[in-house]
Every structure is written in C-alpha cells, then in structure tokens.
Amino acid sequence: MSDDPTKTLPEPRYDTQPGITAVLDRINALGENLTQQINNLRTEVVERLALVADQLSTLNAKIDVLNDEMLTLKADQKKHSKRIDELERKVS
C-alpha cells in the first residue's frame, strides 16, 4: 500500500469543472459591473468637484470685493469721524 492517501480516493461521479467555471464567470461579470459603476461614480465626482471649485473661486472673488468695499467704508467712516470730532471741538 502506498503512503499517498489520494491514490485510494474513488473517481468523482461527475465533473465539477462546468459549475466552477460558471461561478467564476459570474464573479468576473460582477467584478466588471462593479468596475464600471466605480468608474461612473469617479467621473461624476470629478465633474462635481470641478463645479464646486468653480463656485468657490467665484465666492472668493465676491468676498474679496466685499472686503475691499468694507475697508473703504471703514476708512471713510474713520475720516468723517475725525472731521466731526474736530468740528465739535471748534464749536465747544
């Protein structure tokens, strides 16, 4: 008797290869489907990020304009406040 235990196994009654091949084909199809969905999502995310970046750029420009306007307003206000203080001193 041989020391190899597989020598004593009986021959399989049926071929499992077609079933394994079918399962592998389905797994591969699922993988391809998931890859396609991921690629579609990636494309959509990139497009949306580009839109958000554009909107943020516009918002930054508006904030810069608002900041400039506020600084000008505050400077004018300070100038007028000094003039009013001087006029009040002259009147008193």
Side-chain angles (χ1 to χ4, degrees), residues 60-72:
N60 283 336
K62 289 178 180 181
I63 289 172
D64 287 343
V65 169
L66 181 61
N67 187 40
D68 290 343
E69 292 294 321
M70 280 301 289
L71 287 173
T72 302

Side-chain angles (χ1 to χ4, degrees), residues 27-89:
I27 289 172
N28 288 334
L30 178 62
E32 290 171 8
N33 186 11
L34 288 175
T35 300
Q36 183 62 39
Q37 288 180 9
I38 289 169
N39 288 337
N40 290 344
L41 286 173
R42 182 178 290 126
T43 300
E44 186 176 339
V45 167
V46 167
E47 289 171 357
R48 289 182 186 224
L49 284 175
L51 178 63
V52 167
D54 184 50
Q55 290 173 343
L56 284 175
S57 177
T58 301
L59 181 61
N60 283 336
K62 289 178 180 181
I63 289 172
D64 287 343
V65 169
L66 181 61
N67 187 40
D68 290 343
E69 292 294 321
M70 280 301 289
L71 287 173
T72 302
L73 180 65
K74 290 289 188 177
D76 290 345
Q77 185 180 22
K78 190 170 187 175
K79 180 176 72 175
H80 295 307
S81 179
K82 284 182 183 179
R83 289 181 69 193
I84 290 171
D85 288 345
E86 288 176 18
L87 289 172
E88 286 177 343
R89 268 183 276 168

Side-chain angles (χ1 to χ4, degrees), residues 1-2 4-11:
M1 187 154 140
S2 171
D4 186 1
T6 60
K7 297 255 182 191
T8 60
L9 291 176
E11 289 295 318

